[in-house]
Amino acid sequence: MTTPPPIETFTDGTTFEIVTDNCSPAPLTRLNSMAQMQVGVVVDVRLDEIDSARLKALGICQGRRIQLVKGGDPIVLRVLGTRVGLSARLAAGITVEPCAGC
Amino acid sequence: MIELTDAVRTKVSPPRPSAQHASIALIGNPNAGKTSLFNRITGMRARTANFSGTTVEHREAPAILGRRRVQFIDLPGLYSLDAVTLEEQVAKSALTGELEGAAQPDVIVLVVDATRLERNLFLASQVLELRRPTLLALNMMDEATRLGIEIDLEGLAEEVGCRVLPVSARTGEGVEALRTAIEELLDAQAVPTVESMVNACDACGGCRYAARYHWAERVADRSVVRPATSHGQMTESIDRILTHPIAGILAVGAVMTVLFLLIFWIAQYPMEMIDGLFSWASETVARFIPAGDFQSLVVDGVIPGVGGMLVFLPQIVLLFFLLALLEDSGYMARAAFVMDKLMHKVGLPGKAFVPMLSGHACAIPAIMSTRVIEDHRDRLATILVVPLMSCSARVPVYAMVIALLFPKSPLQASLTFVGAYSLGVVAALVAGFVLKRTILKGQTRAMVIELPNYRMPNLRDAALLTLDRAWVFVKNAGTIILAISVGLWVLATYPKTDASALDTMNTARRGLGGDVGPGGQRRPAWQRAGRRGDRSKGVARTDIAATEATGVARTDAAEAMEGTGTDVNTGAPSGAVRDPEAELQRLQLENSALGRIGHFIEPVFRPLGFNWEIGIRRAHLVRRARVIVSTLAGYTGSARTEKVSSTTRSARRPGPTAHPSSASRPVSACSPSTCWRCSASRRTP
């Protein structure tokens, strides 16, 4: 969205190339700011331990591909082939790399 | 309730199966059809129990496999074994044999939903790594076929390193093969040969779950030959309405309205039957036991006590049943989903909504349904506030007290009733708010909830679960209610006022002396009918009790009328109205321990305009509403409502004014003979 989170930033200042398979590089975004039906890959979950564990148990964890089915509060997303309802407060703690092609 | 469930544990838990009884645990994701499969395998013999030392519930059932007696255990539905929630901790230790008092299962049956392989395989990977003899039951194969999913069973078996058996708990297909396979595995004790996912890491990112999910995705990719062609389209289109922020909430309102209408409408028939049965039992028993204290104990204490509890059973059973159907259909998750934002405002999770609303029918099923709330603080807060809701057994008490307070002003009375009812809701919400900021401090857990595909609920599974829970209710709540009823009988009977006089009176009352009053005259028919009504009051149904509540007001009215020389009910001259029997009973009650307590607390209630009698009734309000109803019915009735109960009893029979919802009856239904408004207006000379 606005400022990309630090995980995307390389600190040594060297130039780098983002390698993506068929995903076009897109700025990272919060899960709840994704567009309807957009697909993305979770890059980071910043929540307290229990909430992260609950999310992970349902498959919302680094590296998983998710799709936003319905925005707002709470949101609905599709992950691991099933639909999961999630309150916006949690969604705001999840960073996603949206991709156009996957 | 915590204490209650602990009690359930110690009492219901069957003795641990001895060494020769092999135990078989079923584990799987929520909504994987685990319980259905469990019921299919074990039949009707399951019972609910708690794991030793915890409130975590599981079901277990004995079964015969071949020539072996085994014990099946249905573990709680889980997404992972990471020991974050209490359920996960308990399930994990149950599987590894670390749970105190529980033997390690000899075989683990991993129940996997074939339509959601990818998700289910995550838990599977953790279970397989326990390296216990494991079978994978690929459930919902019928549904998978319907959706066009094709799974390479052999490929999957190779990936997971154990036998894979396709089953359908719904149709029963494959269940026999599964039983045979379990039996074979009990002998072979082969452990899964899957490689450890933690070491075979091909995506060692920051998330230690990643490897497992990669594995699950890979296995699912390889095994699913053809993915779903029409994946959950129906679910998606229904959800467009049911998860809509406004339409969804309206839908919750509609569903709950229908639920309550069904409960009150259907329940009234069996309740009437139970009521009649206990009246009959009471009268019959009275005929066979000689008059005296023992007869009084049985007829006034035990039978009304048992009846007063059982009469609410239809409502409780229906509530359990309908909630089980809703849960199975997948709707409960949607109700929690749309209510979450609203419920958060009072510091409770969305999942607390249905339990809190169910509390208006009966608190016990409501409290039992709070199990779905994962966070223990949120769950405890919900359990603590649910009993504040005005359950259906409490409504007649409101009606009765209000009728006493405002006999002349229907408007004031109805407003008070609405107020009392709303007060329950407000008190619950405020209590929730306060609890979450004081002793249960902590932010309400934000919602993460799977929205399973809608499916046709299984009536058989719901019925089995209901039977189970109803039995637990009868055993636990029932014994307590019975004990209190008997205790109150003792308090109201001793010390005796005048034993000989009372005995004579009892003889007369119980019909041993025929329908002959103490004066030796044959009693008028309305009085005889009145006694039958009186007897039935011990087993008061909600609406009966509501009617009786009006009865008290009418009795007051009747007494008021006495001065004018007319009996309000019969219109007959009042010369015979204050019969010595009632007088004596009144005296007995006044001198009994209960009466003395009443006198003792009278000063507290006097500012409200209550005398000692109403004082003791009020004091009962601290007890279970159910007991209050039987107490009120028993004590106010025995002495005072006798002359009106004939009218109240006959009044509930006629159809035209009968209202399906007994809860709303005191305010909304108006029949000339039952409505307190009318009785109040009649009171004005």
Side-chain angles (χ1 to χ4, degrees), chain B residues 70-123:
Chain B
V70 294
Q71 185 83 3
F72 276 91
I73 304 166
D74 186 13
L75 294 171
L78 301 171
Y79 289 107
S80 85
L81 278 186
D82 282 302
V84 177
T85 68
L86 188 62
E87 272 81 7
E88 288 166 2
Q89 285 166 24
V90 170
K92 186 173 185 181
S93 47
L95 287 181
T96 54
E98 287 159 13
L99 199 68
E100 213 174 312
Q104 184 169 23
D106 299 281
V107 163
I108 298 171
V109 177
L110 189 56
V111 185
V112 167
D113 179 355
T115 63
R116 302 179 302 155
L117 201 54
E118 213 175 326
R119 167 171 305 289
N120 282 231
L121 280 173
F122 178 80
L123 176 71

Short mmCIF file of all heavy atoms in Angstrom, two decimals, chain B residues 70-123:
data_model
loop_
_atom_site.label_atom_id
_atom_site.label_comp_id
_atom_site.label_asym_id
_atom_site.label_seq_id
_atom_site.Cartn_x
_atom_site.Cartn_y
_atom_site.Cartn_z
N VAL B 70 -13.83 -53.55 21.88
CA VAL B 70 -12.97 -52.36 21.81
C VAL B 70 -13.74 -51.15 22.28
O VAL B 70 -14.97 -51.17 22.42
CB VAL B 70 -12.48 -52.11 20.36
CG1 VAL B 70 -11.57 -53.21 19.89
CG2 VAL B 70 -13.65 -51.92 19.42
N GLN B 71 -13.00 -50.09 22.53
CA GLN B 71 -13.59 -48.83 22.97
C GLN B 71 -13.23 -47.76 21.94
O GLN B 71 -12.05 -47.54 21.66
CB GLN B 71 -12.99 -48.48 24.35
CG GLN B 71 -13.59 -47.25 24.99
CD GLN B 71 -14.88 -47.57 25.72
OE1 GLN B 71 -15.31 -48.72 25.80
NE2 GLN B 71 -15.51 -46.54 26.26
N PHE B 72 -14.26 -47.14 21.35
CA PHE B 72 -14.00 -46.05 20.40
C PHE B 72 -14.07 -44.71 21.12
O PHE B 72 -14.96 -44.50 21.95
CB PHE B 72 -15.03 -46.07 19.28
CG PHE B 72 -14.68 -47.02 18.17
CD1 PHE B 72 -15.12 -48.32 18.19
CD2 PHE B 72 -13.90 -46.58 17.11
CE1 PHE B 72 -14.79 -49.20 17.17
CE2 PHE B 72 -13.57 -47.45 16.08
CZ PHE B 72 -14.02 -48.76 16.11
N ILE B 73 -13.15 -43.83 20.80
CA ILE B 73 -13.14 -42.50 21.40
C ILE B 73 -13.20 -41.47 20.28
O ILE B 73 -12.43 -41.53 19.33
CB ILE B 73 -11.85 -42.26 22.23
CG1 ILE B 73 -11.70 -43.34 23.29
CG2 ILE B 73 -11.87 -40.88 22.87
CD1 ILE B 73 -10.31 -43.38 23.90
N ASP B 74 -14.13 -40.55 20.39
CA ASP B 74 -14.28 -39.48 19.40
C ASP B 74 -13.64 -38.22 19.97
O ASP B 74 -14.21 -37.59 20.86
CB ASP B 74 -15.78 -39.28 19.13
CG ASP B 74 -16.04 -38.29 18.02
OD1 ASP B 74 -15.07 -37.96 17.29
OD2 ASP B 74 -17.19 -37.86 17.87
N LEU B 75 -12.47 -37.88 19.50
CA LEU B 75 -11.76 -36.71 20.04
C LEU B 75 -12.35 -35.42 19.47
O LEU B 75 -13.01 -35.44 18.44
CB LEU B 75 -10.27 -36.80 19.68
CG LEU B 75 -9.51 -37.95 20.34
CD1 LEU B 75 -8.12 -38.08 19.75
CD2 LEU B 75 -9.43 -37.73 21.84
N PRO B 76 -12.14 -34.29 20.13
CA PRO B 76 -12.69 -33.04 19.60
C PRO B 76 -12.11 -32.70 18.22
O PRO B 76 -10.98 -33.06 17.93
CB PRO B 76 -12.28 -31.99 20.63
CG PRO B 76 -11.29 -32.62 21.53
CD PRO B 76 -11.45 -34.09 21.41
N GLY B 77 -12.90 -32.04 17.40
CA GLY B 77 -12.45 -31.65 16.07
C GLY B 77 -11.37 -30.59 16.15
O GLY B 77 -11.52 -29.61 16.88
N LEU B 78 -10.28 -30.75 15.42
CA LEU B 78 -9.12 -29.87 15.55
C LEU B 78 -8.56 -29.50 14.19
O LEU B 78 -8.71 -30.25 13.23
CB LEU B 78 -8.00 -30.58 16.30
CG LEU B 78 -8.24 -31.09 17.69
CD1 LEU B 78 -7.07 -31.93 18.09
CD2 LEU B 78 -8.43 -29.92 18.62
N TYR B 79 -7.87 -28.38 14.12
CA TYR B 79 -7.14 -28.03 12.91
C TYR B 79 -5.68 -28.41 13.02
O TYR B 79 -5.00 -28.64 12.03
CB TYR B 79 -7.28 -26.54 12.61
CG TYR B 79 -8.67 -26.17 12.15
CD1 TYR B 79 -9.54 -25.49 12.99
CD2 TYR B 79 -9.11 -26.56 10.89
CE1 TYR B 79 -10.81 -25.18 12.58
CE2 TYR B 79 -10.39 -26.25 10.48
CZ TYR B 79 -11.24 -25.56 11.32
OH TYR B 79 -12.50 -25.26 10.92
N SER B 80 -5.16 -28.41 14.25
CA SER B 80 -3.75 -28.79 14.40
C SER B 80 -3.55 -29.38 15.78
O SER B 80 -4.41 -29.29 16.65
CB SER B 80 -2.84 -27.58 14.20
OG SER B 80 -2.71 -26.85 15.40
N LEU B 81 -2.39 -29.97 15.98
CA LEU B 81 -2.07 -30.59 17.27
C LEU B 81 -1.06 -29.73 18.02
O LEU B 81 -0.25 -30.24 18.78
CB LEU B 81 -1.47 -31.98 17.06
CG LEU B 81 -2.40 -33.15 16.80
CD1 LEU B 81 -1.60 -34.43 16.76
CD2 LEU B 81 -3.46 -33.24 17.89
N ASP B 82 -1.08 -28.42 17.77
CA ASP B 82 -0.01 -27.60 18.32
C ASP B 82 -0.18 -27.20 19.76
O ASP B 82 0.60 -26.41 20.28
CB ASP B 82 0.19 -26.37 17.46
CG ASP B 82 0.96 -26.74 16.22
OD1 ASP B 82 2.07 -27.26 16.39
OD2 ASP B 82 0.43 -26.57 15.12
N ALA B 83 -1.18 -27.73 20.40
CA ALA B 83 -1.36 -27.51 21.82
C ALA B 83 -1.50 -26.03 22.18
O ALA B 83 -0.93 -25.55 23.15
CB ALA B 83 -0.23 -28.15 22.61
N VAL B 84 -2.23 -25.28 21.37
CA VAL B 84 -2.50 -23.88 21.71
C VAL B 84 -3.78 -23.81 22.54
O VAL B 84 -3.79 -23.27 23.63
CB VAL B 84 -2.63 -23.01 20.45
CG1 VAL B 84 -2.96 -21.58 20.82
CG2 VAL B 84 -1.36 -23.06 19.64
N THR B 85 -4.85 -24.40 22.02
CA THR B 85 -6.09 -24.39 22.78
C THR B 85 -6.13 -25.61 23.69
O THR B 85 -5.36 -26.56 23.52
CB THR B 85 -7.32 -24.44 21.85
OG1 THR B 85 -7.34 -25.72 21.22
CG2 THR B 85 -7.29 -23.36 20.81
N LEU B 86 -7.04 -25.56 24.64
CA LEU B 86 -7.17 -26.65 25.60
C LEU B 86 -7.53 -27.95 24.88
O LEU B 86 -7.00 -29.02 25.19
CB LEU B 86 -8.26 -26.28 26.62
CG LEU B 86 -8.41 -27.24 27.79
CD1 LEU B 86 -7.13 -27.27 28.60
CD2 LEU B 86 -9.57 -26.80 28.67
N GLU B 87 -8.43 -27.85 23.88
CA GLU B 87 -8.83 -29.03 23.12
C GLU B 87 -7.62 -29.68 22.46
O GLU B 87 -7.48 -30.90 22.46
CB GLU B 87 -9.85 -28.66 22.03
CG GLU B 87 -11.29 -28.66 22.48
CD GLU B 87 -11.66 -27.39 23.20
OE1 GLU B 87 -10.81 -26.46 23.23
OE2 GLU B 87 -12.77 -27.32 23.77
N GLU B 88 -6.77 -28.83 21.88
CA GLU B 88 -5.60 -29.36 21.19
C GLU B 88 -4.65 -30.04 22.17
O GLU B 88 -4.14 -31.13 21.91
CB GLU B 88 -4.86 -28.22 20.46
CG GLU B 88 -5.60 -27.74 19.24
CD GLU B 88 -5.08 -26.42 18.70
OE1 GLU B 88 -4.10 -25.88 19.25
OE2 GLU B 88 -5.67 -25.91 17.74
N GLN B 89 -4.47 -29.39 23.33
CA GLN B 89 -3.58 -29.99 24.33
C GLN B 89 -4.10 -31.35 24.76
O GLN B 89 -3.35 -32.32 24.81
CB GLN B 89 -3.51 -29.08 25.57
CG GLN B 89 -2.66 -27.85 25.38
CD GLN B 89 -2.89 -26.83 26.48
OE1 GLN B 89 -3.31 -27.18 27.57
NE2 GLN B 89 -2.61 -25.57 26.20
N VAL B 90 -5.40 -31.38 25.06
CA VAL B 90 -5.98 -32.63 25.55
C VAL B 90 -5.94 -33.70 24.47
O VAL B 90 -5.56 -34.84 24.73
CB VAL B 90 -7.43 -32.39 26.04
CG1 VAL B 90 -8.11 -33.70 26.34
CG2 VAL B 90 -7.41 -31.51 27.27
N ALA B 91 -6.32 -33.32 23.24
CA ALA B 91 -6.34 -34.31 22.16
C ALA B 91 -4.94 -34.85 21.92
O ALA B 91 -4.76 -36.05 21.74
CB ALA B 91 -6.88 -33.67 20.89
N LYS B 92 -3.96 -33.97 21.95
CA LYS B 92 -2.60 -34.43 21.70
C LYS B 92 -2.15 -35.39 22.80
O LYS B 92 -1.62 -36.46 22.51
CB LYS B 92 -1.64 -33.24 21.61
CG LYS B 92 -0.27 -33.69 21.21
CD LYS B 92 0.67 -32.56 20.94
CE LYS B 92 1.99 -33.13 20.42
NZ LYS B 92 2.95 -32.06 20.16
N SER B 93 -2.40 -35.00 24.04
CA SER B 93 -1.93 -35.89 25.11
C SER B 93 -2.73 -37.19 25.13
O SER B 93 -2.22 -38.22 25.54
CB SER B 93 -1.93 -35.19 26.46
OG SER B 93 -3.13 -34.51 26.66
N ALA B 94 -3.98 -37.13 24.66
CA ALA B 94 -4.76 -38.37 24.58
C ALA B 94 -4.14 -39.30 23.54
O ALA B 94 -4.07 -40.51 23.73
CB ALA B 94 -6.21 -38.08 24.22
N LEU B 95 -3.67 -38.72 22.43
CA LEU B 95 -3.10 -39.55 21.37
C LEU B 95 -1.75 -40.12 21.77
O LEU B 95 -1.39 -41.23 21.39
CB LEU B 95 -2.94 -38.73 20.08
CG LEU B 95 -4.22 -38.40 19.32
CD1 LEU B 95 -3.88 -37.62 18.06
CD2 LEU B 95 -4.98 -39.66 18.96
N THR B 96 -0.98 -39.35 22.53
CA THR B 96 0.35 -39.81 22.89
C THR B 96 0.34 -40.63 24.18
O THR B 96 1.37 -41.12 24.61
CB THR B 96 1.31 -38.62 23.08
OG1 THR B 96 0.72 -37.72 24.02
CG2 THR B 96 1.55 -37.89 21.77
N GLY B 97 -0.84 -40.73 24.79
CA GLY B 97 -0.94 -41.54 26.01
C GLY B 97 -0.46 -40.81 27.24
O GLY B 97 -0.24 -41.41 28.29
N GLU B 98 -0.28 -39.48 27.13
CA GLU B 98 0.19 -38.72 28.29
C GLU B 98 -0.95 -38.31 29.21
O GLU B 98 -0.70 -37.80 30.29
CB GLU B 98 0.94 -37.45 27.82
CG GLU B 98 2.30 -37.76 27.23
CD GLU B 98 2.80 -36.65 26.34
OE1 GLU B 98 2.22 -35.55 26.37
OE2 GLU B 98 3.77 -36.89 25.61
N LEU B 99 -2.16 -38.46 28.72
CA LEU B 99 -3.29 -38.02 29.51
C LEU B 99 -3.52 -38.96 30.68
O LEU B 99 -3.60 -40.17 30.51
CB LEU B 99 -4.54 -37.97 28.63
CG LEU B 99 -5.68 -37.10 29.16
CD1 LEU B 99 -5.28 -35.64 29.14
CD2 LEU B 99 -6.92 -37.32 28.33
N GLU B 100 -3.63 -38.35 31.83
CA GLU B 100 -3.77 -39.15 33.04
C GLU B 100 -5.09 -39.93 33.01
O GLU B 100 -6.14 -39.39 32.67
CB GLU B 100 -3.75 -38.23 34.25
CG GLU B 100 -3.12 -38.87 35.46
CD GLU B 100 -2.99 -37.88 36.59
OE1 GLU B 100 -2.50 -36.76 36.35
OE2 GLU B 100 -3.41 -38.22 37.70
N GLY B 101 -5.01 -41.17 33.36
CA GLY B 101 -6.24 -41.97 33.47
C GLY B 101 -6.77 -42.48 32.16
O GLY B 101 -7.82 -43.09 32.10
N ALA B 102 -6.10 -42.17 31.06
CA ALA B 102 -6.57 -42.65 29.76
C ALA B 102 -5.47 -43.46 29.10
O ALA B 102 -4.31 -43.03 29.05
CB ALA B 102 -6.96 -41.48 28.87
N ALA B 103 -5.83 -44.62 28.62
CA ALA B 103 -4.84 -45.46 27.94
C ALA B 103 -4.54 -44.88 26.57
O ALA B 103 -5.38 -44.22 25.96
CB ALA B 103 -5.38 -46.88 27.81
N GLN B 104 -3.33 -45.10 26.10
CA GLN B 104 -2.98 -44.63 24.76
C GLN B 104 -3.77 -45.45 23.74
O GLN B 104 -3.85 -46.67 23.86
CB GLN B 104 -1.49 -44.81 24.52
CG GLN B 104 -1.05 -44.25 23.18
CD GLN B 104 0.46 -44.19 23.06
OE1 GLN B 104 1.17 -44.91 23.75
NE2 GLN B 104 0.94 -43.33 22.21
N PRO B 105 -4.37 -44.78 22.77
CA PRO B 105 -5.14 -45.55 21.79
C PRO B 105 -4.25 -46.53 21.01
O PRO B 105 -3.12 -46.20 20.67
CB PRO B 105 -5.73 -44.48 20.87
CG PRO B 105 -5.07 -43.21 21.22
CD PRO B 105 -4.45 -43.35 22.56
N ASP B 106 -4.79 -47.70 20.77
CA ASP B 106 -4.01 -48.70 20.03
C ASP B 106 -4.03 -48.43 18.54
O ASP B 106 -3.10 -48.78 17.84
CB ASP B 106 -4.59 -50.09 20.32
CG ASP B 106 -4.51 -50.43 21.79
OD1 ASP B 106 -3.42 -50.81 22.24
OD2 ASP B 106 -5.52 -50.26 22.50
N VAL B 107 -5.10 -47.81 18.09
CA VAL B 107 -5.18 -47.45 16.68
C VAL B 107 -5.77 -46.05 16.59
O VAL B 107 -6.68 -45.69 17.33
CB VAL B 107 -6.06 -48.46 15.90
CG1 VAL B 107 -6.49 -47.89 14.55
CG2 VAL B 107 -5.33 -49.77 15.70
N ILE B 108 -5.20 -45.24 15.69
CA ILE B 108 -5.75 -43.91 15.44
C ILE B 108 -6.44 -43.94 14.08
O ILE B 108 -5.83 -44.35 13.09
CB ILE B 108 -4.65 -42.84 15.44
CG1 ILE B 108 -3.96 -42.78 16.81
CG2 ILE B 108 -5.22 -41.48 15.07
CD1 ILE B 108 -2.73 -41.89 16.83
N VAL B 109 -7.68 -43.53 14.05
CA VAL B 109 -8.36 -43.38 12.76
C VAL B 109 -8.40 -41.90 12.43
O VAL B 109 -9.00 -41.10 13.14
CB VAL B 109 -9.79 -43.97 12.80
CG1 VAL B 109 -10.49 -43.74 11.47
CG2 VAL B 109 -9.75 -45.45 13.14
N LEU B 110 -7.70 -41.57 11.37
CA LEU B 110 -7.59 -40.18 10.96
C LEU B 110 -8.72 -39.91 9.97
O LEU B 110 -8.74 -40.47 8.89
CB LEU B 110 -6.22 -40.02 10.29
CG LEU B 110 -5.69 -38.68 9.92
CD1 LEU B 110 -5.66 -37.77 11.13
CD2 LEU B 110 -4.28 -38.84 9.38
N VAL B 111 -9.67 -39.07 10.37
CA VAL B 111 -10.82 -38.82 9.50
C VAL B 111 -10.52 -37.59 8.65
O VAL B 111 -10.26 -36.50 9.17
CB VAL B 111 -12.11 -38.62 10.31
CG1 VAL B 111 -13.30 -38.48 9.38
CG2 VAL B 111 -12.32 -39.78 11.26
N VAL B 112 -10.50 -37.79 7.34
CA VAL B 112 -10.14 -36.72 6.41
C VAL B 112 -11.30 -36.49 5.45
O VAL B 112 -11.89 -37.42 4.93
CB VAL B 112 -8.85 -37.11 5.64
CG1 VAL B 112 -8.62 -36.21 4.46
CG2 VAL B 112 -7.65 -37.10 6.57
N ASP B 113 -11.65 -35.21 5.28
CA ASP B 113 -12.73 -34.84 4.37
C ASP B 113 -12.18 -34.84 2.95
O ASP B 113 -11.31 -34.05 2.60
CB ASP B 113 -13.23 -33.44 4.78
CG ASP B 113 -14.33 -32.93 3.88
OD1 ASP B 113 -14.65 -33.61 2.88
OD2 ASP B 113 -14.87 -31.85 4.17
N ALA B 114 -12.72 -35.74 2.12
CA ALA B 114 -12.21 -35.88 0.75
C ALA B 114 -12.41 -34.62 -0.07
O ALA B 114 -11.69 -34.37 -1.04
CB ALA B 114 -12.90 -37.05 0.06
N THR B 115 -13.39 -33.78 0.33
CA THR B 115 -13.64 -32.58 -0.46
C THR B 115 -12.72 -31.44 -0.03
O THR B 115 -12.69 -30.40 -0.68
CB THR B 115 -15.10 -32.11 -0.30
OG1 THR B 115 -15.32 -31.76 1.07
CG2 THR B 115 -16.08 -33.20 -0.69
N ARG B 116 -12.02 -31.62 1.05
CA ARG B 116 -11.10 -30.57 1.51
C ARG B 116 -9.77 -31.19 1.90
O ARG B 116 -9.24 -30.98 2.99
CB ARG B 116 -11.70 -29.84 2.72
CG ARG B 116 -13.05 -29.21 2.45
CD ARG B 116 -13.58 -28.54 3.69
NE ARG B 116 -13.69 -29.48 4.80
CZ ARG B 116 -13.67 -29.13 6.07
NH1 ARG B 116 -13.52 -27.87 6.41
NH2 ARG B 116 -13.77 -30.04 7.02
N LEU B 117 -9.24 -31.95 0.97
CA LEU B 117 -8.05 -32.74 1.24
C LEU B 117 -6.88 -31.87 1.70
O LEU B 117 -6.20 -32.17 2.69
CB LEU B 117 -7.68 -33.50 -0.04
CG LEU B 117 -6.80 -34.73 0.13
CD1 LEU B 117 -7.39 -35.67 1.14
CD2 LEU B 117 -6.61 -35.42 -1.20
N GLU B 118 -6.68 -30.78 0.97
CA GLU B 118 -5.53 -29.92 1.22
C GLU B 118 -5.52 -29.45 2.68
O GLU B 118 -4.51 -29.55 3.37
CB GLU B 118 -5.67 -28.71 0.31
CG GLU B 118 -4.39 -28.13 -0.18
CD GLU B 118 -4.70 -27.02 -1.17
OE1 GLU B 118 -5.69 -27.14 -1.92
OE2 GLU B 118 -3.96 -26.03 -1.17
N ARG B 119 -6.68 -28.95 3.12
CA ARG B 119 -6.74 -28.44 4.49
C ARG B 119 -6.58 -29.56 5.52
O ARG B 119 -5.84 -29.42 6.48
CB ARG B 119 -8.07 -27.72 4.74
CG ARG B 119 -8.33 -27.44 6.19
CD ARG B 119 -9.50 -26.56 6.47
NE ARG B 119 -9.47 -25.26 5.81
CZ ARG B 119 -8.65 -24.28 6.11
NH1 ARG B 119 -7.76 -24.44 7.05
NH2 ARG B 119 -8.70 -23.14 5.45
N ASN B 120 -7.26 -30.68 5.27
CA ASN B 120 -7.26 -31.77 6.24
C ASN B 120 -5.90 -32.45 6.38
O ASN B 120 -5.59 -33.02 7.41
CB ASN B 120 -8.32 -32.81 5.87
CG ASN B 120 -9.72 -32.36 6.25
OD1 ASN B 120 -10.46 -33.07 6.88
ND2 ASN B 120 -10.07 -31.13 5.88
N LEU B 121 -5.10 -32.38 5.31
CA LEU B 121 -3.82 -33.09 5.36
C LEU B 121 -2.83 -32.44 6.31
O LEU B 121 -1.86 -33.05 6.72
CB LEU B 121 -3.23 -33.19 3.95
CG LEU B 121 -3.83 -34.31 3.09
CD1 LEU B 121 -3.31 -34.22 1.67
CD2 LEU B 121 -3.54 -35.67 3.68
N PHE B 122 -3.09 -31.19 6.70
CA PHE B 122 -2.18 -30.53 7.63
C PHE B 122 -2.20 -31.25 8.98
O PHE B 122 -1.17 -31.66 9.51
CB PHE B 122 -2.57 -29.06 7.80
CG PHE B 122 -1.71 -28.34 8.78
CD1 PHE B 122 -0.46 -27.87 8.42
CD2 PHE B 122 -2.14 -28.14 10.09
CE1 PHE B 122 0.35 -27.23 9.33
CE2 PHE B 122 -1.34 -27.49 11.00
CZ PHE B 122 -0.09 -27.03 10.63
N LEU B 123 -3.39 -31.44 9.51
CA LEU B 123 -3.53 -32.17 10.78
C LEU B 123 -3.03 -33.60 10.59
O LEU B 123 -2.36 -34.16 11.46
CB LEU B 123 -4.99 -32.17 11.24
CG LEU B 123 -5.28 -32.98 12.49
CD1 LEU B 123 -4.71 -32.29 13.72
CD2 LEU B 123 -6.78 -33.19 12.68
#
